[in-house]
Amino acid sequence: MNLLRCTAIALVGLLAIPLAGVDAGSEKIAFPANFKSGVLYNVIDRDDQKEVHLQYTSREAIEAAKAGKPLPAGTVIASANYKAVLDPQGNPIRDAKGNFVAGELDRVVVMEKRPGSGAAYPENLRNGDWEFAAFTADGKFNPQAPAKEVCMACHKPHERLDYVKTYFAMAGKRVETNPAPVPFGGVVATIVRFAVNPSRIIVQAGTPVTWINIDDPPHQFLVEGAGGKTEYLLKGQTGTLVLKEPGVYQYGDTFYPAVESLRGVIEVRK
């Protein structure tokens, strides 16, 4: 399974993922029991969670993303989240390529695009016509999962990506081959293994701050209170902001806003 990485996407199915009538508790989405018959388009090592996430969807969704279009109605996206195999010290074991070794399946998180379903939600939460649900490994509704409104709030800023944070992976856009240069005299923070280093940045007012993404998944950084955010950063891409007003600003990743290792502080001095 760990050979199926982002650099070698396995097309394991050609049709839309069929839905099975498995009890999903109070949710509107049925557990997609045959999700592995879809296209495995993305594999992510989540260092912050010590997990491996395998993500599946339909061939039609893949083709739409490659064309830069919204995903078609009826699209189902399933993220099968496995616990990483740990060594005796509690650290994830890595294979010869440096990737996590997936252990037991922990849960499956699902997005489904249902025509008209978004009308049931207030505008500040609505993700187009997407619905969200979380299931246990055996396909039962997961009562321990965060409320779907939490998922909706997390995906809400990404309307440009049809609210799908793995849209770039669907489209096959993973690496920036022509990144913008780092401005002269700027301060640099790197993103690797779901962490920013350094997370605390001290600059003089007007000094460029540049984030360089070395991770496989994309990131985007928003500086709270300053009204600025980077573009989406693919692997190898740089994003620069210039803060001109002195102060202490919090920043975080719009893709993973709850991940503390992707949050930090910028202190701007006169």
Side-chain angles (χ1 to χ4, degrees):
M1 174 160 43
N2 286 279
L3 295 178
L4 302 177
R5 287 285 156 178
C6 296
T7 55
I9 301 303
L11 301 182
V12 294
L14 302 181
L15 302 177
I17 299 173
L19 297 180
V22 178
D23 180 19
S26 61
E27 293 293 336
K28 299 178 181 178
I29 298 177
F31 178 67
N34 298 322
F35 66 85
K36 289 185 180 179
S37 67
V39 178
L40 173 59
Y41 70 91
N42 202 31
V43 181
I44 300 177
D45 287 343
R46 287 294 300 263
D47 291 78
D48 61 311
Q49 297 176 327
K50 298 182 179 180
E51 294 181 343
V52 183
H53 294 184
L54 278 68
Q55 294 159 342
Y56 301 80
T57 192
S58 65
R59 171 64 73 95
E60 290 82 1
I62 297 294
E63 294 303 321
K66 287 181 177 179
K69 298 178 179 179
L71 305 188
T75 293
V76 177
I77 303 169
S79 181
N81 300 344
Y82 294 80
K83 294 180 180 179
V85 177
L86 306 180
D87 65 18
Q89 289 72 44
N91 300 312
I93 293 174
R94 297 180 182 272
D95 62 19
K97 294 185 177 181
N99 300 317
F100 285 179
V101 176
E104 65 177 307
L105 178 63
D106 183 65
R107 64 195 184 281
V108 179
V109 182
V110 179
M111 293 177 65
E112 181 181 345
K113 199 172 194 180
R114 290 171 166 262
S117 67
Y121 301 100
E123 187 55 37
N124 67 319
L125 282 179
R126 182 175 182 175
N127 283 208
D129 286 329
W130 288 100
E131 288 277 3
F132 297 79
F135 301 89
T136 59
D138 59 358
K140 303 297 184 182
F141 171 66
N142 187 353
Q144 303 301 319
K148 62 183 176 182
E149 286 77 10
V150 174
C151 297
M152 297 176 79
C154 185
H155 286 251
K156 178 66 176 178
H158 302 289
E159 180 178 6
R160 174 179 157 193
L161 304 179
D162 196 16
Y163 305 100
V164 177
K165 294 193 289 184
T166 56
Y167 186 94
F168 287 118
M170 286 188 187
K173 297 179 180 179
R174 301 174 183 279
V175 178
E176 175 56 58
T177 57
N178 187 31
V182 176
F184 178 77
V187 175
V188 173
T190 58
I191 307 98
V192 61
R193 294 184 176 178
F194 275 81
V196 181
N197 185 35
S199 60
R200 184 175 183 87
I201 300 168
I202 301 175
V203 296
Q204 298 299 120
T207 301
V209 176
T210 299
W211 290 266
I212 302 177
N213 183 21
I214 305 176
D215 261 352
D216 286 327
H219 297 280
Q220 181 188 50
F221 290 92
L222 170 68
V223 179
E224 300 167 11
K229 62 182 176 182
T230 68
E231 284 295 321
Y232 292 127
L233 306 180
L234 300 178
K235 185 173 186 177
Q237 197 163 0
T238 66
T240 298
L241 295 176
V242 177
L243 304 181
K244 298 181 179 180
E245 295 296 326
V248 177
Y249 301 89
Q250 306 286 329
Y251 71 85
D253 187 354
T254 66
F255 281 88
Y256 308 99
V259 177
E260 284 299 321
S261 57
L262 289 171
R263 298 187 60 82
V265 174
I266 302 175
E267 181 180 344
V268 181
R269 297 176 177 176
K270 292 182 180 180

